[in-house]
PDB file of all heavy atoms in Angstrom:
ATOM      1  N   PRO A  82      37.618 -32.905 -70.964  1.00 98.00           N
ATOM      2  CA  PRO A  82      37.382 -33.717 -72.166  1.00 98.00           C
ATOM      3  C   PRO A  82      37.174 -32.817 -73.383  1.00 98.00           C
ATOM      4  O   PRO A  82      36.631 -31.718 -73.275  1.00 98.00           O
ATOM      5  CB  PRO A  82      36.114 -34.507 -71.836  1.00 98.00           C
ATOM      6  CG  PRO A  82      35.460 -33.789 -70.716  1.00 98.00           C
ATOM      7  CD  PRO A  82      36.515 -33.001 -69.999  1.00 98.00           C
ATOM      8  N   PHE A  83      37.619 -33.311 -74.536  1.00 97.00           N
ATOM      9  CA  PHE A  83      37.488 -32.542 -75.766  1.00 97.00           C
ATOM     10  C   PHE A  83      37.343 -33.477 -76.955  1.00 97.00           C
ATOM     11  O   PHE A  83      37.635 -34.675 -76.864  1.00 97.00           O
ATOM     12  CB  PHE A  83      38.691 -31.616 -75.967  1.00 97.00           C
ATOM     13  CG  PHE A  83      40.008 -32.337 -76.077  1.00 97.00           C
ATOM     14  CD1 PHE A  83      40.490 -32.769 -77.299  1.00 97.00           C
ATOM     15  CD2 PHE A  83      40.764 -32.589 -74.946  1.00 97.00           C
ATOM     16  CE1 PHE A  83      41.699 -33.447 -77.401  1.00 97.00           C
ATOM     17  CE2 PHE A  83      41.976 -33.264 -75.021  1.00 97.00           C
ATOM     18  CZ  PHE A  83      42.443 -33.686 -76.254  1.00 97.00           C
ATOM     19  N   ALA A  84      36.885 -32.896 -78.057  1.00 95.00           N
ATOM     20  CA  ALA A  84      36.777 -33.624 -79.326  1.00 95.00           C
ATOM     21  C   ALA A  84      37.295 -32.714 -80.427  1.00 95.00           C
ATOM     22  O   ALA A  84      37.184 -31.485 -80.347  1.00 95.00           O
ATOM     23  CB  ALA A  84      35.326 -34.009 -79.613  1.00 95.00           C
ATOM     24  N   PHE A  85      37.870 -33.331 -81.447  1.00 92.00           N
ATOM     25  CA  PHE A  85      38.311 -32.593 -82.622  1.00 92.00           C
ATOM     26  C   PHE A  85      37.195 -32.571 -83.658  1.00 92.00           C
ATOM     27  O   PHE A  85      36.449 -33.539 -83.796  1.00 92.00           O
ATOM     28  CB  PHE A  85      39.546 -33.249 -83.256  1.00 92.00           C
ATOM     29  CG  PHE A  85      40.785 -33.169 -82.410  1.00 92.00           C
ATOM     30  CD1 PHE A  85      41.316 -34.301 -81.833  1.00 92.00           C
ATOM     31  CD2 PHE A  85      41.411 -31.960 -82.198  1.00 92.00           C
ATOM     32  CE1 PHE A  85      42.464 -34.242 -81.058  1.00 92.00           C
ATOM     33  CE2 PHE A  85      42.563 -31.876 -81.419  1.00 92.00           C
ATOM     34  CZ  PHE A  85      43.083 -33.028 -80.849  1.00 92.00           C
ATOM     35  N   ALA A  86      37.112 -31.466 -84.384  1.00 88.00           N
ATOM     36  CA  ALA A  86      36.172 -31.347 -85.499  1.00 88.00           C
ATOM     37  C   ALA A  86      36.959 -30.811 -86.674  1.00 88.00           C
ATOM     38  O   ALA A  86      37.781 -29.904 -86.525  1.00 88.00           O
ATOM     39  CB  ALA A  86      35.041 -30.394 -85.144  1.00 88.00           C
ATOM     40  N   SER A  87      36.700 -31.365 -87.850  1.00 84.00           N
ATOM     41  CA  SER A  87      37.441 -30.912 -89.022  1.00 84.00           C
ATOM     42  C   SER A  87      36.614 -31.151 -90.279  1.00 84.00           C
ATOM     43  O   SER A  87      35.964 -32.183 -90.410  1.00 84.00           O
ATOM     44  CB  SER A  87      38.767 -31.676 -89.129  1.00 84.00           C
ATOM     45  OG  SER A  87      39.421 -31.329 -90.328  1.00 84.00           O
ATOM     46  N   GLY A  88      36.683 -30.195 -91.173  1.00 81.00           N
ATOM     47  CA  GLY A  88      36.039 -30.354 -92.475  1.00 81.00           C
ATOM     48  C   GLY A  88      36.909 -31.162 -93.439  1.00 81.00           C
ATOM     49  O   GLY A  88      36.463 -31.490 -94.541  1.00 81.00           O
ATOM     50  N   TYR A  89      38.123 -31.492 -93.018  1.00 77.00           N
ATOM     51  CA  TYR A  89      39.048 -32.214 -93.885  1.00 77.00           C
ATOM     52  C   TYR A  89      38.825 -33.724 -93.856  1.00 77.00           C
ATOM     53  O   TYR A  89      39.367 -34.437 -94.678  1.00 77.00           O
ATOM     54  CB  TYR A  89      40.495 -31.917 -93.493  1.00 77.00           C
ATOM     55  CG  TYR A  89      40.861 -30.462 -93.681  1.00 77.00           C
ATOM     56  CD1 TYR A  89      41.113 -29.652 -92.583  1.00 77.00           C
ATOM     57  CD2 TYR A  89      40.975 -29.915 -94.943  1.00 77.00           C
ATOM     58  CE1 TYR A  89      41.447 -28.323 -92.738  1.00 77.00           C
ATOM     59  CE2 TYR A  89      41.320 -28.581 -95.114  1.00 77.00           C
ATOM     60  CZ  TYR A  89      41.545 -27.797 -94.012  1.00 77.00           C
ATOM     61  OH  TYR A  89      41.875 -26.485 -94.171  1.00 77.00           O
ATOM     62  N   GLY A  90      38.091 -34.237 -92.892  1.00 76.00           N
ATOM     63  CA  GLY A  90      37.912 -35.676 -92.774  1.00 76.00           C
ATOM     64  C   GLY A  90      39.142 -36.336 -92.181  1.00 76.00           C
ATOM     65  O   GLY A  90      40.121 -35.683 -91.844  1.00 76.00           O
ATOM     66  N   ARG A  91      39.095 -37.646 -92.067  1.00 77.00           N
ATOM     67  CA  ARG A  91      40.214 -38.399 -91.483  1.00 77.00           C
ATOM     68  C   ARG A  91      41.518 -38.198 -92.232  1.00 77.00           C
ATOM     69  O   ARG A  91      42.584 -38.176 -91.642  1.00 77.00           O
ATOM     70  CB  ARG A  91      39.886 -39.886 -91.438  1.00 77.00           C
ATOM     71  CG  ARG A  91      38.802 -40.248 -90.437  1.00 77.00           C
ATOM     72  CD  ARG A  91      38.542 -41.747 -90.429  1.00 77.00           C
ATOM     73  NE  ARG A  91      39.715 -42.487 -90.024  1.00 77.00           N
ATOM     74  CZ  ARG A  91      39.914 -42.963 -88.806  1.00 77.00           C
ATOM     75  NH1 ARG A  91      39.008 -42.779 -87.876  1.00 77.00           N
ATOM     76  NH2 ARG A  91      41.007 -43.635 -88.507  1.00 77.00           N
ATOM     77  N   GLU A  92      41.439 -38.040 -93.544  1.00 76.00           N
ATOM     78  CA  GLU A  92      42.651 -37.887 -94.353  1.00 76.00           C
ATOM     79  C   GLU A  92      43.375 -36.588 -94.046  1.00 76.00           C
ATOM     80  O   GLU A  92      44.573 -36.475 -94.264  1.00 76.00           O
ATOM     81  CB  GLU A  92      42.307 -37.946 -95.843  1.00 76.00           C
ATOM     82  CG  GLU A  92      41.762 -39.288 -96.310  1.00 76.00           C
ATOM     83  CD  GLU A  92      40.302 -39.511 -95.918  1.00 76.00           C
ATOM     84  OE1 GLU A  92      39.543 -38.523 -95.778  1.00 76.00           O
ATOM     85  OE2 GLU A  92      39.951 -40.679 -95.708  1.00 76.00           O
ATOM     86  N   GLY A  93      42.667 -35.595 -93.528  1.00 69.00           N
ATOM     87  CA  GLY A  93      43.283 -34.315 -93.212  1.00 69.00           C
ATOM     88  C   GLY A  93      43.875 -34.235 -91.821  1.00 69.00           C
ATOM     89  O   GLY A  93      44.431 -33.222 -91.443  1.00 69.00           O
TER      90      GLY A  93
END
Side-chain angles (χ1 to χ4, degrees):
F83 61 89
F85 292 111
S87 175
Y89 296 112
R91 291 181 62 99
E92 295 77 28

